[in-house]
Protein backbone atom coordinates (compact mmCIF):
# COMPACT_ATOMS: atom_id res chain seq x y z
CA UNK A 1 0.00 0.00 0.00
CA UNK A 2 1.12 3.57 -0.58
CA UNK A 3 1.46 5.65 2.57
CA UNK A 4 2.11 9.37 2.98
CA UNK A 5 3.60 10.46 6.33
CA UNK A 6 3.39 14.19 6.94
CA UNK A 7 6.06 15.22 9.47
CA UNK A 8 9.38 13.39 9.59
CA UNK A 9 10.15 13.92 13.29
CA UNK A 10 10.57 11.30 16.02
CA UNK A 11 7.17 9.76 15.34
CA UNK A 12 6.78 10.31 11.58
CA UNK A 13 10.24 9.09 10.66
CA UNK A 14 10.11 6.00 12.86
CA UNK A 15 6.52 5.15 11.80
CA UNK A 16 7.36 5.75 8.14
CA UNK A 17 10.45 3.54 8.26
CA UNK A 18 8.54 0.80 10.10
CA UNK A 19 5.59 0.86 7.66
CA UNK A 20 8.17 0.53 4.85
CA UNK A 21 9.68 -2.41 6.69
CA UNK A 22 6.17 -3.99 6.71
CA UNK A 23 6.37 -3.81 2.89
CA UNK A 24 4.39 -0.62 2.20
CA UNK A 25 5.64 2.16 -0.08
CA UNK A 26 6.12 5.18 2.16
CA UNK A 27 6.80 8.83 1.38
CA UNK A 28 7.86 10.94 4.36
CA UNK A 29 7.03 14.60 3.83
CA UNK A 30 8.47 17.44 5.88
CA UNK A 31 8.40 21.16 5.27
CA UNK A 32 11.86 21.42 6.85
CA UNK A 33 13.99 21.26 3.69
CA UNK A 34 17.23 20.78 5.67
CA UNK A 35 15.79 17.71 7.36
CA UNK A 36 14.71 16.23 4.04
CA UNK A 37 18.09 16.95 2.41
CA UNK A 38 19.86 15.32 5.37
CA UNK A 39 17.61 12.26 5.15
CA UNK A 40 18.33 11.96 1.45
CA UNK A 41 22.03 11.87 2.36
CA UNK A 42 21.14 9.09 4.89
CA UNK A 43 21.89 11.45 7.79
CA UNK A 44 19.44 11.01 10.67
CA UNK A 45 18.02 14.28 12.05
CA UNK A 46 17.45 12.55 15.43
CA UNK A 47 19.23 9.97 17.55
CA UNK A 48 17.19 6.80 17.80
CA UNK A 49 18.90 3.39 18.13
CA UNK A 50 18.59 1.28 14.95
CA UNK A 51 16.86 4.00 12.92
CA UNK A 52 19.73 4.79 10.53
CA UNK A 53 20.02 1.13 9.48
CA UNK A 54 16.26 0.69 9.08
CA UNK A 55 16.01 3.84 6.95
CA UNK A 56 19.03 2.89 4.81
CA UNK A 57 17.63 -0.60 4.17
CA UNK A 58 14.18 0.59 3.14
CA UNK A 59 15.52 3.42 0.99
CA UNK A 60 17.82 0.93 -0.78
CA UNK A 61 14.86 -1.41 -1.36
CA UNK A 62 12.88 1.56 -2.74
CA UNK A 63 10.07 1.46 -0.22
CA UNK A 64 10.98 4.69 1.58
CA UNK A 65 11.54 8.16 0.16
CA UNK A 66 11.64 11.74 1.40
CA UNK A 67 10.21 14.93 -0.04
CA UNK A 68 9.18 18.46 0.87
CA UNK A 69 6.35 18.29 -1.66
CA UNK A 70 3.11 17.34 0.03
CA UNK A 71 1.32 17.06 -3.32
CA UNK A 72 3.81 14.52 -4.69
CA UNK A 73 3.71 12.44 -1.51
CA UNK A 74 -0.04 12.41 -1.00
CA UNK A 75 -0.97 11.56 -4.58
CA UNK A 76 -2.18 7.95 -4.83
CA UNK A 77 -1.66 7.31 -1.12
CA UNK A 78 -4.10 4.80 0.41
CA UNK A 79 -3.58 6.54 3.75
CA UNK A 80 -2.26 10.01 4.60
CA UNK A 81 -0.82 10.22 8.11
CA UNK A 82 -0.48 13.48 10.01
CA UNK A 83 2.51 13.18 12.39
CA UNK A 84 3.35 16.83 12.99
CA UNK A 85 4.10 18.38 16.38
CA UNK A 86 1.37 19.41 18.86
CA UNK A 87 3.31 21.45 21.47
CA UNK A 88 1.71 23.35 24.35
CA UNK A 89 0.26 26.68 23.30
CA UNK A 90 2.23 29.36 25.14
CA UNK A 91 -0.79 31.46 25.95
CA UNK A 92 -3.01 28.88 27.66
CA UNK A 93 -1.36 25.42 27.72
CA UNK A 94 -3.89 23.89 25.32
CA UNK A 95 -2.46 21.72 22.54
CA UNK A 96 -1.29 23.97 19.71
CA UNK A 97 -3.00 22.48 16.66
CA UNK A 98 -1.62 24.99 14.15
CA UNK A 99 0.59 22.40 12.43
CA UNK A 100 -2.17 19.78 12.34
CA UNK A 101 -4.70 22.16 10.81
CA UNK A 102 -2.11 23.53 8.38
CA UNK A 103 -1.40 19.96 7.24
CA UNK A 104 -5.16 19.35 6.87
CA UNK A 105 -5.53 22.46 4.67
CA UNK A 106 -2.59 21.35 2.53
CA UNK A 107 -4.05 17.84 2.19
CA UNK A 108 -7.40 19.31 1.15
CA UNK A 109 -5.68 21.01 -1.76
CA UNK A 110 -4.39 17.78 -3.28
CA UNK A 111 -6.66 14.82 -2.45
CA UNK A 112 -8.89 13.22 -5.05
CA UNK A 113 -11.43 10.40 -4.74
CA UNK A 114 -11.77 8.59 -1.44
CA UNK A 115 -9.05 9.56 1.07
CA UNK A 116 -8.17 8.13 4.46
CA UNK A 117 -6.59 10.81 6.65
CA UNK A 118 -5.00 9.40 9.80
CA UNK A 119 -4.04 11.50 12.80
CA UNK A 120 -0.94 10.06 14.44
CA UNK A 121 -0.12 13.26 16.27
CA UNK A 122 -1.44 13.39 19.84
CA UNK A 123 -4.51 15.62 19.58
CA UNK A 124 -7.35 16.57 21.94
CA UNK A 125 -10.69 14.83 21.77
CA UNK A 126 -12.74 16.25 18.91
CA UNK A 127 -9.79 17.22 16.69
CA UNK A 128 -10.75 14.60 14.10
CA UNK A 129 -14.12 16.34 13.65
CA UNK A 130 -12.33 19.65 13.08
CA UNK A 131 -9.94 18.12 10.53
CA UNK A 132 -12.93 16.73 8.62
CA UNK A 133 -14.60 20.14 8.74
CA UNK A 134 -11.48 22.01 7.52
CA UNK A 135 -10.98 19.65 4.58
CA UNK A 136 -14.71 19.61 3.81
CA UNK A 137 -14.82 23.42 3.72
CA UNK A 138 -12.01 23.55 1.16
CA UNK A 139 -13.22 20.55 -0.86
CA UNK A 140 -16.99 20.19 -0.30
CA UNK A 141 -17.10 17.10 -2.53
CA UNK A 142 -14.23 15.32 -0.80
CA UNK A 143 -14.97 11.69 0.09
CA UNK A 144 -13.17 11.58 3.39
CA UNK A 145 -12.50 9.22 6.27
CA UNK A 146 -10.66 10.86 9.15
CA UNK A 147 -9.16 8.26 11.48
CA UNK A 148 -7.42 8.59 14.85
CA UNK A 149 -4.42 6.28 15.26
CA UNK A 150 -2.42 7.56 18.25
CA UNK A 151 1.17 6.49 18.64
CA UNK A 152 2.51 4.95 21.86
CA UNK A 153 6.19 4.46 20.95
CA UNK A 154 8.85 5.52 23.43
CA UNK A 155 11.90 7.45 22.27
CA UNK A 156 14.98 5.26 22.71
CA UNK A 157 13.00 2.07 22.05
CA UNK A 158 10.86 3.47 19.25
CA UNK A 159 11.45 0.83 16.59
CA UNK A 160 10.87 -2.12 18.91
CA UNK A 161 7.76 -0.38 20.26
CA UNK A 162 6.36 0.22 16.78
CA UNK A 163 7.16 -3.31 15.60
CA UNK A 164 5.80 -5.05 18.70
CA UNK A 165 3.35 -2.72 20.45
CA UNK A 166 1.08 -3.76 23.32
CA UNK A 167 -1.81 -2.68 21.08
CA UNK A 168 -2.69 -0.59 18.04
CA UNK A 169 -5.59 1.79 18.61
CA UNK A 170 -7.66 2.83 15.60
CA UNK A 171 -10.55 5.22 16.03
CA UNK A 172 -13.07 5.14 13.18
CA UNK A 173 -16.58 4.00 12.45
CA UNK A 174 -16.05 4.08 8.68
CA UNK A 175 -15.92 0.59 7.18
CA UNK A 176 -13.67 1.55 4.23
CA UNK A 177 -11.15 3.21 6.54
CA UNK A 178 -11.24 0.21 8.81
CA UNK A 179 -10.24 -2.07 5.93
CA UNK A 180 -7.37 0.22 4.88
CA UNK A 181 -6.08 0.46 8.45
CA UNK A 182 -6.38 -3.27 8.99
CA UNK A 183 -4.39 -3.94 5.85
CA UNK A 184 -1.71 -1.42 6.89
CA UNK A 185 -1.24 -3.11 10.25
CA UNK A 186 -1.73 -6.69 8.99
CA UNK A 187 1.88 -7.71 9.82
CA UNK A 188 1.17 -6.85 13.46
CA UNK A 189 -2.27 -8.48 13.47
CA UNK A 190 -0.60 -11.63 12.11
CA UNK A 191 1.72 -11.55 15.13
CA UNK A 192 -1.33 -11.47 17.43
CA UNK A 193 -0.89 -7.79 18.40
CA UNK A 194 -4.33 -6.59 19.53
CA UNK A 195 -5.75 -4.16 16.96
CA UNK A 196 -8.32 -2.21 18.88
CA UNK A 197 -11.01 -0.46 16.84
CA UNK A 198 -12.82 2.28 18.74
CA UNK A 199 -14.80 5.40 18.04
CA UNK A 200 -12.59 8.28 16.91
CA UNK A 201 -13.11 10.33 20.06
CA UNK A 202 -12.33 7.32 22.22
CA UNK A 203 -9.02 6.78 20.41
CA UNK A 204 -8.08 10.44 20.86
CA UNK A 205 -8.75 10.18 24.59
CA UNK A 206 -6.97 6.84 25.04
CA UNK A 207 -3.64 8.46 24.17
CA UNK A 208 -3.99 11.31 26.69
CA UNK A 209 -5.38 9.06 29.40
CA UNK A 210 -2.53 6.55 28.93
CA UNK A 211 0.13 9.26 29.25
CA UNK A 212 -1.59 10.79 32.25
CA UNK A 213 -1.75 7.41 33.95
CA UNK A 214 1.96 6.71 33.34
CA UNK A 215 2.93 10.15 34.62
CA UNK A 216 0.79 9.48 37.69
CA UNK A 217 2.73 6.27 38.39
CA UNK A 218 6.05 8.12 38.19
CA UNK A 219 4.82 10.94 40.40
CA UNK A 220 3.38 8.51 42.92
CA UNK A 221 6.64 6.59 43.35
CA UNK A 222 8.54 9.87 43.63
CA UNK A 223 6.40 10.88 46.59
CA UNK A 224 6.81 7.42 48.13
CA UNK A 225 10.59 7.91 47.65
CA UNK A 226 10.41 11.12 49.70
CA UNK A 227 8.61 9.21 52.44
CA UNK A 228 11.20 6.38 52.28
CA UNK A 229 13.96 8.89 52.90
CA UNK A 230 12.30 10.20 56.03
CA UNK A 231 11.25 6.74 57.25
CA UNK A 232 14.62 5.04 56.55
CA UNK A 233 13.16 2.67 53.97
CA UNK A 234 14.46 1.89 50.48
CA UNK A 235 12.17 2.90 47.60
CA UNK A 236 13.68 0.26 45.32
CA UNK A 237 12.40 -2.45 47.66
CA UNK A 238 9.01 -0.79 47.93
CA UNK A 239 8.69 -0.35 44.14
CA UNK A 240 9.68 -3.99 43.58
CA UNK A 241 7.23 -5.14 46.20
CA UNK A 242 4.27 -3.28 44.78
CA UNK A 243 5.26 -3.85 41.12
CA UNK A 244 5.00 -7.63 41.51
CA UNK A 245 1.28 -7.14 42.00
CA UNK A 246 -0.13 -7.71 38.49
CA UNK A 247 -2.76 -5.06 39.08
CA UNK A 248 0.06 -2.52 39.47
CA UNK A 249 2.95 -3.82 37.33
CA UNK A 250 6.67 -3.01 37.65
CA UNK A 251 7.05 -0.36 34.91
CA UNK A 252 7.20 3.40 35.51
CA UNK A 253 8.03 2.88 39.16
CA UNK A 254 11.61 4.18 39.10
CA UNK A 255 11.99 7.10 41.49
CA UNK A 256 13.87 10.04 40.00
CA UNK A 257 13.95 13.76 39.31
CA UNK A 258 10.42 13.94 37.87
CA UNK A 259 9.02 13.20 34.44
CA UNK A 260 9.91 15.30 31.40
CA UNK A 261 10.21 14.86 27.66
CA UNK A 262 8.27 15.95 24.64
CA UNK A 263 5.03 14.20 25.62
CA UNK A 264 4.06 13.90 29.30
CA UNK A 265 4.28 17.58 30.32
CA UNK A 266 2.39 18.91 27.31
CA UNK A 267 -0.11 16.06 27.16
CA UNK A 268 -1.08 16.32 30.84
CA UNK A 269 -1.54 20.04 30.51
CA UNK A 270 -3.61 19.62 27.34
CA UNK A 271 -5.79 16.98 29.03
CA UNK A 272 -6.31 19.21 32.04
CA UNK A 273 -7.29 22.17 29.85
CA UNK A 274 -9.53 20.07 27.62
CA UNK A 275 -11.27 18.76 30.74
CA UNK A 276 -11.97 22.33 31.84
CA UNK A 277 -13.42 23.13 28.41
CA UNK A 278 -15.82 20.22 28.85
CA UNK A 279 -16.67 21.44 32.36
CA UNK A 280 -14.76 18.53 33.91
CA UNK A 281 -11.86 19.65 36.10
CA UNK A 282 -9.55 16.63 36.47
CA UNK A 283 -8.14 17.35 39.90
CA UNK A 284 -5.77 14.37 39.96
CA UNK A 285 -3.98 15.61 36.82
CA UNK A 286 -3.79 19.14 38.21
CA UNK A 287 -2.08 17.77 41.31
CA UNK A 288 0.33 15.54 39.37
CA UNK A 289 1.46 18.49 37.25
CA UNK A 290 2.07 20.66 40.28
CA UNK A 291 3.96 17.94 42.24
CA UNK A 292 6.19 17.26 39.24
CA UNK A 293 6.96 20.95 38.68
CA UNK A 294 7.96 21.42 42.31
CA UNK A 295 10.09 18.29 42.28
CA UNK A 296 12.64 19.68 39.84
CA UNK A 297 13.53 22.65 42.10
CA UNK A 298 13.54 20.23 45.03
CA UNK A 299 16.22 18.18 43.22
CA UNK A 300 18.37 21.30 42.94
CA UNK A 301 17.96 21.88 46.69
CA UNK A 302 19.00 18.26 47.29
CA UNK A 303 22.23 18.86 45.35
CA UNK A 304 22.91 22.08 47.25
CA UNK A 305 22.32 20.31 50.58
CA UNK A 306 24.70 17.49 49.59
CA UNK A 307 27.35 20.15 49.00
CA UNK A 308 26.94 21.49 52.53
CA UNK A 309 24.31 24.17 51.93
CA UNK A 310 26.01 26.47 49.42
CA UNK A 311 27.32 26.00 45.90
CA UNK A 312 28.27 29.60 45.18
CA UNK A 313 31.48 29.62 43.18
CA UNK A 314 31.58 25.81 43.05
CA UNK A 315 31.70 23.63 39.94
CA UNK A 316 28.99 20.99 39.59
CA UNK A 317 29.60 18.20 37.08
CA UNK A 318 26.39 16.90 35.48
CA UNK A 319 26.25 13.53 33.75
CA UNK A 320 23.31 13.32 31.37
CA UNK A 321 21.06 16.07 30.05
CA UNK A 322 18.31 14.38 28.05
CA UNK A 323 15.02 13.57 29.78
CA UNK A 324 15.88 9.88 29.62
CA UNK A 325 18.57 7.62 28.16
CA UNK A 326 18.89 6.62 24.49
CA UNK A 327 17.51 9.81 23.02
CA UNK A 328 18.90 13.22 22.08
CA UNK A 329 15.58 14.88 22.96
CA UNK A 330 15.96 17.79 25.39
CA UNK A 331 12.33 18.92 25.30
CA UNK A 332 11.14 19.53 28.89
CA UNK A 333 14.08 17.62 30.34
CA UNK A 334 14.23 17.99 34.14
CA UNK A 335 17.92 18.84 33.59
CA UNK A 336 16.91 22.27 32.27
CA UNK A 337 15.12 23.39 35.48
CA UNK A 338 17.66 21.72 37.77
CA UNK A 339 20.72 23.18 36.04
CA UNK A 340 19.13 26.62 35.89
CA UNK A 341 18.41 26.43 39.65
CA UNK A 342 22.05 25.44 40.31
CA UNK A 343 23.24 28.40 38.24
CA UNK A 344 20.80 30.67 40.11
CA UNK A 345 22.48 29.50 43.32
CA UNK A 346 25.84 30.65 41.98
CA UNK A 347 27.35 27.39 40.67
CA UNK A 348 29.24 26.83 37.48
CA UNK A 349 27.88 23.81 35.61
CA UNK A 350 29.93 21.49 33.46
CA UNK A 351 27.98 18.77 31.65
CA UNK A 352 28.38 15.72 29.49
CA UNK A 353 25.72 13.80 27.58
CA UNK A 354 26.45 11.18 24.91
CA UNK A 355 23.74 12.48 22.54
CA UNK A 356 21.99 15.52 24.00
CA UNK A 357 24.62 18.26 24.01
CA UNK A 358 23.76 19.71 20.62
CA UNK A 359 20.10 20.20 21.54
CA UNK A 360 21.09 21.32 25.06
CA UNK A 361 23.01 24.28 23.67
CA UNK A 362 19.76 25.83 22.47
CA UNK A 363 17.92 25.48 25.80
CA UNK A 364 20.67 26.01 28.41
CA UNK A 365 22.90 29.03 28.92
CA UNK A 366 26.45 29.26 30.24
CA UNK A 367 27.05 25.52 30.57
CA UNK A 368 30.54 24.15 29.81
CA UNK A 369 30.36 20.96 27.79
CA UNK A 370 32.88 18.17 28.40
CA UNK A 371 34.07 15.57 25.89
CA UNK A 372 33.44 12.63 28.23
CA UNK A 373 32.32 11.74 31.74
CA UNK A 374 35.85 11.80 33.20
CA UNK A 375 36.72 15.23 31.82
CA UNK A 376 33.37 16.40 33.16
CA UNK A 377 34.23 15.21 36.68
CA UNK A 378 37.76 16.65 36.74
CA UNK A 379 38.18 19.18 39.57
CA UNK A 380 34.42 19.40 40.21
CA UNK A 381 33.00 19.94 43.70
CA UNK A 382 30.24 17.38 43.16
CA UNK A 383 28.98 15.03 40.49
CA UNK A 384 25.28 14.74 39.61
CA UNK A 385 23.83 11.82 37.64
CA UNK A 386 20.90 13.36 35.79
CA UNK A 387 20.15 10.74 33.08
CA UNK A 388 20.45 6.95 33.34
CA UNK A 389 22.69 6.33 30.30
CA UNK A 390 24.19 2.82 30.46
CA UNK A 391 27.70 4.20 29.98
CA UNK A 392 27.44 5.96 33.35
CA UNK A 393 26.63 2.67 35.08
CA UNK A 394 29.98 1.24 34.04
CA UNK A 395 32.23 4.21 34.85
CA UNK A 396 35.51 3.59 36.66
CA UNK A 397 34.33 5.06 39.97
CA UNK A 398 37.78 4.89 41.55
CA UNK A 399 39.00 7.15 38.78
CA UNK A 400 35.96 9.42 39.16
CA UNK A 401 36.71 9.73 42.88
CA UNK A 402 40.32 10.68 42.20
CA UNK A 403 39.23 13.30 39.64
CA UNK A 404 36.63 15.04 41.82
CA UNK A 405 37.76 17.83 44.13
CA UNK A 406 35.27 16.56 46.74
CA UNK A 407 33.93 12.98 46.54
CA UNK A 408 30.25 13.95 46.47
CA UNK A 409 27.87 12.13 44.12
CA UNK A 410 24.17 12.99 43.82
CA UNK A 411 22.54 10.23 41.83
CA UNK A 412 19.06 11.27 40.72
CA UNK A 413 18.53 7.96 38.86
CA UNK A 414 19.70 5.45 41.47
CA UNK A 415 22.20 3.83 39.10
CA UNK A 416 24.81 3.05 41.79
CA UNK A 417 24.53 1.01 44.98
CA UNK A 418 24.82 2.93 48.25
CA UNK A 419 27.00 0.23 49.94
CA UNK A 420 29.52 0.27 47.09
CA UNK A 421 29.62 4.05 46.98
CA UNK A 422 30.27 4.09 50.73
CA UNK A 423 33.10 1.58 50.33
CA UNK A 424 34.64 3.76 47.61
CA UNK A 425 34.61 6.71 50.02
CA UNK A 426 31.91 8.82 48.39
CA UNK A 427 29.32 10.94 50.09
CA UNK A 428 26.44 9.50 48.12
CA UNK A 429 22.91 10.89 47.90
CA UNK A 430 20.33 9.14 45.76
CA UNK A 431 16.52 9.10 45.60
CA UNK A 432 14.42 7.33 48.23
CA UNK A 433 17.39 5.40 49.63
CA UNK A 434 19.67 5.90 52.60
CA UNK A 435 22.36 8.52 52.21
CA UNK A 436 25.89 7.21 52.80
CA UNK A 437 29.14 8.92 53.72
CA UNK A 438 29.70 12.13 55.63
CA UNK A 439 27.47 15.09 54.90
N1 LIG B 1 8.19 11.97 20.43
C1 LIG B 1 7.52 10.96 20.96
O1 LIG B 1 8.08 10.13 21.69
C2 LIG B 1 6.04 10.79 20.70
C3 LIG B 1 5.41 9.59 21.04
C4 LIG B 1 4.06 9.44 20.76
C5 LIG B 1 3.34 10.47 20.18
N2 LIG B 1 3.97 11.66 19.88
C6 LIG B 1 3.19 12.71 19.22
O2 LIG B 1 3.49 12.71 17.83
C7 LIG B 1 3.46 14.04 17.31
C8 LIG B 1 4.79 14.37 16.65
O3 LIG B 1 5.79 14.38 17.64
P1 LIG B 1 7.34 14.38 17.27
O4 LIG B 1 8.07 14.23 18.55
O5 LIG B 1 7.56 13.41 16.16
O6 LIG B 1 7.49 15.88 16.70
P2 LIG B 1 8.73 16.52 15.94
O7 LIG B 1 8.72 17.95 16.32
O8 LIG B 1 9.96 15.69 16.16
O9 LIG B 1 8.36 16.36 14.39
C9 LIG B 1 7.32 17.06 13.77
C10 LIG B 1 7.74 17.31 12.31
O10 LIG B 1 6.62 17.80 11.58
C11 LIG B 1 7.08 18.73 10.61
N3 LIG B 1 5.94 19.51 10.15
C12 LIG B 1 5.17 20.39 10.84
N4 LIG B 1 4.20 20.88 10.05
C13 LIG B 1 4.32 20.29 8.83
C14 LIG B 1 3.60 20.37 7.59
N5 LIG B 1 2.52 21.14 7.46
N6 LIG B 1 4.04 19.64 6.54
C15 LIG B 1 5.12 18.84 6.68
N7 LIG B 1 5.83 18.72 7.82
C16 LIG B 1 5.44 19.43 8.88
C17 LIG B 1 8.15 19.51 11.36
O11 LIG B 1 9.03 20.16 10.47
C18 LIG B 1 8.83 18.39 12.16
O12 LIG B 1 9.92 17.83 11.44
C19 LIG B 1 3.10 14.94 18.50
O13 LIG B 1 1.72 15.15 18.51
C20 LIG B 1 3.53 14.11 19.70
O14 LIG B 1 2.79 14.44 20.86
C21 LIG B 1 5.31 11.83 20.10
Amino acid sequence: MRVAMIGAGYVGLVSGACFAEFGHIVTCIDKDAKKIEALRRREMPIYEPGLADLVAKNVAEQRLSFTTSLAAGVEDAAAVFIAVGTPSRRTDGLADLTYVYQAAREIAGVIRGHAVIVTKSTVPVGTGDEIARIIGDIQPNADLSVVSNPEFLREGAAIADFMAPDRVVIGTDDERAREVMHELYRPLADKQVPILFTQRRGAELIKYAANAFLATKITFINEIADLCEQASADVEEVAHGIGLDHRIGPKFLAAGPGYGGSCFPKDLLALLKAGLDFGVPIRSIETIISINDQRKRAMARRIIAACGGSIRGRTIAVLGLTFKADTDDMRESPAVSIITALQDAGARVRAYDPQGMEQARSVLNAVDYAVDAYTCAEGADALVVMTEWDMFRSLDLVRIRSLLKSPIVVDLRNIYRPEEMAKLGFTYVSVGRPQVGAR
Side-chain angles (χ1 to χ4, degrees), residues 6-12 29-32 35 70 83-86 99 102-103 106 120-123 151-155 207 262-263 266-267 329 331:
I6 304 178
Y10 285 87
V11 164
I29 304 149
D30 205 292
K31 59 178 183 180
D32 182 341
K35 200 175 259 191
L70 190 126
V84 300
T86 48
Y99 303 112
Q102 180 58 30
E106 291 171 23
K120 216 170 218 338
S121 299
T122 303
V123 294
E151 184 49 58
F152 299 96
L153 61 77
R154 293 161 302 164
E155 288 175 18
K207 174 65 192 175
S262 65
C263 291
K266 79 169 175 67
D267 291 350
D329 202 338
R331 288 178 283 185

Side-chain angles (χ1 to χ4, degrees), residues 101 104-105 108 127-140 144 146 200:
Y101 294 154
R105 279 190 287 273
T127 303
D129 303 33
E130 188 61 11
I131 292 173
R133 190 195 61 76
I134 289 172
I135 300 179
D137 277 357
I138 297 172
Q139 274 223 35
L144 267 192
V146 178
R200 190 167 64 205

Side-chain angles (χ1 to χ4, degrees), residues 159-238:
I159 294 169
D161 283 352
F162 195 94
M163 293 293 194
D166 292 337
R167 79 303 204 189
V168 173
V169 173
I170 299 170
T172 182
D173 46 20
D174 180 309
E175 197 47 46
R176 290 172 303 172
R178 195 184 160 106
E179 275 171 28
V180 169
M181 295 304 288
H182 200 273
E183 198 51 37
L184 270 176
Y185 281 106
R186 181 181 290 279
L188 296 184
D190 288 349
K191 285 195 280 182
Q192 310 303 322
V193 171
I195 311 285
L196 181 67
F197 283 95
T198 67
Q199 291 184 333
R200 190 167 64 205
R201 286 182 169 234
E204 289 168 339
L205 255 181
I206 285 170
K207 174 65 192 175
Y208 278 109
N211 274 357
F213 196 83
L214 293 172
T216 302
K217 267 186 109 174
I218 295 174
T219 307
F220 174 78
I221 202 67
N222 283 340
E223 289 208 294
I224 295 296
D226 291 346
L227 176 59
C228 285
E229 283 168 20
Q230 298 309 316
S232 302
D234 183 333
V235 73
E236 307 269 304
E237 286 181 1
V238 176

Side-chain angles (χ1 to χ4, degrees), residues 151-432:
E151 184 49 58
F152 299 96
L153 61 77
R154 293 161 302 164
E155 288 175 18
I159 294 169
D161 283 352
F162 195 94
M163 293 293 194
D166 292 337
R167 79 303 204 189
V168 173
V169 173
I170 299 170
T172 182
D173 46 20
D174 180 309
E175 197 47 46
R176 290 172 303 172
R178 195 184 160 106
E179 275 171 28
V180 169
M181 295 304 288
H182 200 273
E183 198 51 37
L184 270 176
Y185 281 106
R186 181 181 290 279
L188 296 184
D190 288 349
K191 285 195 280 182
Q192 310 303 322
V193 171
I195 311 285
L196 181 67
F197 283 95
T198 67
Q199 291 184 333
R200 190 167 64 205
R201 286 182 169 234
E204 289 168 339
L205 255 181
I206 285 170
K207 174 65 192 175
Y208 278 109
N211 274 357
F213 196 83
L214 293 172
T216 302
K217 267 186 109 174
I218 295 174
T219 307
F220 174 78
I221 202 67
N222 283 340
E223 289 208 294
I224 295 296
D226 291 346
L227 176 59
C228 285
E229 283 168 20
Q230 298 309 316
S232 302
D234 183 333
V235 73
E236 307 269 304
E237 286 181 1
V238 176
H240 185 59
I242 60 174
L244 286 171
D245 185 327
H246 289 297
R247 293 168 302 178
I248 297 172
K251 307 253 176 81
F252 284 75
L253 286 180
Y259 64 77
S262 65
C263 291
F264 286 1
K266 79 169 175 67
D267 291 350
L268 265 75
L269 199 55
L271 180 59
L272 177 70
K273 299 287 180 171
L276 292 176
D277 278 353
F278 280 96
V280 182
I282 311 175
R283 296 271 180 249
S284 56
I285 307 285
E286 198 177 325
T287 308
I288 295 296
I289 293 172
S290 140
I291 296 169
N292 196 64
D293 281 348
Q294 288 164 27
R295 184 160 188 87
K296 297 177 207 162
R297 296 294 286 198
M299 292 298 112
R301 289 197 296 276
R302 173 180 302 242
I303 296 163
I304 295 168
C307 294
S310 170
I311 53 170
R312 187 155 301 283
R314 308 260 187 99
T315 299
I316 308 293
V318 173
L319 295 186
L321 293 167
T322 51
F323 77 99
K324 65 173 180 178
D326 293 325
T327 181
D328 58 349
D329 202 338
M330 280 297 297
R331 288 178 283 185
E332 298 286 333
S333 173
V336 177
S337 313
I338 297 172
I339 288 176
T340 307
L342 297 178
Q343 291 171 326
D344 289 348
R348 218 181 129 105
V349 172
R350 192 190 302 139
Y352 170 70
D353 187 287
Q355 294 294 339
M357 294 195 289
E358 198 182 315
Q359 284 198 25
R361 283 177 211 278
S362 59
V363 285
L364 284 166
N365 294 318
V367 168
D368 295 328
Y369 293 96
V371 293
D372 61 26
Y374 298 106
T375 323
C376 187
E378 206 170 340
D381 295 277
L383 181 87
V384 177
V385 177
M386 195 78 81
T387 313
E388 69 285 20
W389 286 94
D390 271 347
M391 65 158 62
F392 301 148
R393 295 177 198 274
S394 53
L395 288 179
D396 176 349
L397 292 171
V398 174
R399 185 171 164 205
I400 290 284
R401 191 186 180 294
S402 70
L403 287 168
L404 285 171
K405 199 195 269 177
S406 336
I408 300 170
V409 172
V410 183
D411 177 2
L412 301 180
R413 300 292 185 163
N414 290 356
I415 66 171
Y416 304 127
R417 294 161 62 102
E419 320 82 70
E420 278 170 24
M421 297 303 277
K423 260 194 230 155
L424 289 167
F426 285 104
T427 295
Y428 179 66
V429 177
S430 53
V431 180

